[in-house]
Amino acid sequence: MTSSPEGDGVAPDAEREASSDAEPAAAADAARSPDVAGAPEEPDDVAGRAEPAESVPDPERLRARFGRPFEAGDVIFREGEPGTEAYLLEEGRVRLIKKVRGAERSLMVLKPGDLFGESALLGGAARWSTAIALSRGVALALDQGTLQNLVERNPAVALRIIKQLVGRLRDAEDQIEIMMLTDTQSKVVNALLKLAQQSRAASGSSSNGASFAISPMELSTRVGLDVDTVKRAVQQLREGQYLRVADERLEIPDIDALRRLFSLLGLKDEIRGEQ
């Protein structure tokens, strides 16, 4: 991995993880799974003995064999490069960016437990984005055979990966919807409504409020706006008492009120378009 400055400024709170919300690393599941394909036999193995289906490898062995440590600012892979490995983020945070007409655009911010670079597993595929570390961390680099072995022999890993890919597709559809909006405030409100609904569904809460952790940079990535613009939009919503910021979390006390604001913003945009 090479060191590179980030493509755009990062708000200070983008560097701090909301540890209480961070999903446990997928490597933890791998650590409870059978050993991966291609691993050398242990010295005390009996020759010819079949490995039990429920054998448990040492997590440190997994990290020693597949771990790729990185520092903040390191480039894990670059857009356009040939890719042969996918990565399971075990520690730290990573940002995916893509060049669009010569400008770098953030696609998403990854947290422990996330799979990225998975397009390399298709065989001969080039990297479609650049991965830059936001903090010090470790990722497990898995080639196609290794990942296939983990998926086939550990249903929990397979289910986690499927959920991540489905979530990735949902986020992509949300971003397309947001891009179709022309008003800055509408983009931010729409993104916050979706995050609030996901948070409420995940918690099983029946209340009309929601609370979730998200940094200005993560929100800016979702709406396709720069961080400063997003901060101004959030401040306007705070002044209107549509949301509160507490302990690095956004609290939306009344989702219905925010939904009504979104409808009013849409009506205002329609009226402006007819003039």
Side-chain angles (χ1 to χ4, degrees):
M1 301 180 186
T2 58
S3 183
S4 167
E6 292 187 32
D8 54 19
V10 179
D13 52 343
E15 296 292 345
R16 298 194 298 270
E17 295 187 44
S19 59
S20 61
D21 281 1
E23 183 181 5
D29 286 327
R32 293 190 291 271
S33 70
D35 207 350
V36 291
E41 286 189 352
E42 292 297 304
D44 57 349
D45 280 350
V46 178
R49 183 180 67 186
E51 184 177 288
E54 297 301 324
S55 63
V56 180
D58 184 352
E60 293 303 319
R61 278 183 56 200
L62 284 172
R63 180 177 291 207
R65 188 176 304 153
F66 304 110
R68 299 283 180 84
F70 52 79
E71 300 290 334
D74 283 356
V75 177
I76 299 172
F77 55 74
R78 293 184 183 277
E79 182 178 354
E81 291 179 346
T84 58
E85 297 170 320
Y87 294 87
L88 282 171
L89 187 58
E90 188 175 34
E91 295 178 11
R93 284 158 57 110
V94 172
R95 181 163 61 102
L96 298 184
I97 62 174
K98 186 174 182 63
K99 281 191 174 180
V100 180
R101 295 180 179 177
E104 290 185 344
R105 303 293 184 186
S106 291
L107 298 176
M108 64 184 64
V109 176
L110 304 167
K111 298 178 181 179
D114 284 344
L115 174 73
F116 63 106
E118 67 275 10
S119 61
L121 301 177
L122 297 177
R127 301 290 188 190
W128 65 279
S129 63
T130 297
I132 299 179
L134 291 176
S135 65
R136 174 183 296 181
V138 177
L140 301 183
L142 307 172
D143 61 23
Q144 188 171 9
T146 299
L147 186 60
Q148 181 176 343
N149 181 269
L150 285 174
V151 168
E152 289 178 349
R153 302 175 69 178
N154 193 318
V157 172
L159 181 59
R160 183 182 294 273
I161 290 175
I162 290 172
K163 286 182 176 179
Q164 287 190 24
L165 295 179
V166 170
R168 195 81 56 85
L169 177 60
R170 178 199 62 203
D171 290 344
E173 291 176 344
D174 288 347
Q175 286 182 318
I176 291 173
E177 179 182 338
I178 291 170
M179 284 193 308
M180 296 175 67
L181 300 172
T182 58
D183 178 61
T184 296
Q185 195 77 344
S186 294
K187 291 175 182 285
V188 174
V189 171
N190 182 276
L192 292 176
L193 281 172
K194 293 182 182 301
L195 289 167
Q197 291 163 358
Q198 292 170 21
S199 173
R200 191 166 60 174
S203 65
S205 172
S206 59
S207 71
N208 193 38
S211 173
F212 48 88
I214 187 168
S215 70
M217 189 175 68
E218 289 174 291
L219 186 54
S220 73
T221 296
R222 284 181 172 270
V223 300
L225 300 169
D226 63 85
V227 174
D228 289 338
T229 299
V230 167
K231 285 183 174 180
R232 287 194 295 270
V234 168
Q235 182 58 34
Q236 290 175 2
L237 292 172
R238 292 180 67 182
E239 292 171 356
Q241 300 184 353
Y242 290 101
L243 61 80
R244 296 189 292 263
V245 179
D247 298 328
E248 301 178 15
R249 298 177 65 84
L250 289 182
E251 296 180 359
I252 299 177
D254 189 340
I255 295 177
D256 287 340
L258 192 63
R259 190 176 289 115
R260 287 193 295 271
L261 173 63
F262 181 69
S263 297
L264 288 173
L265 290 171
L267 180 61
K268 179 180 176 181
D269 193 49
E270 289 179 7
I271 294 173
R272 191 166 46 228
E274 292 175 357
Q275 292 177 347

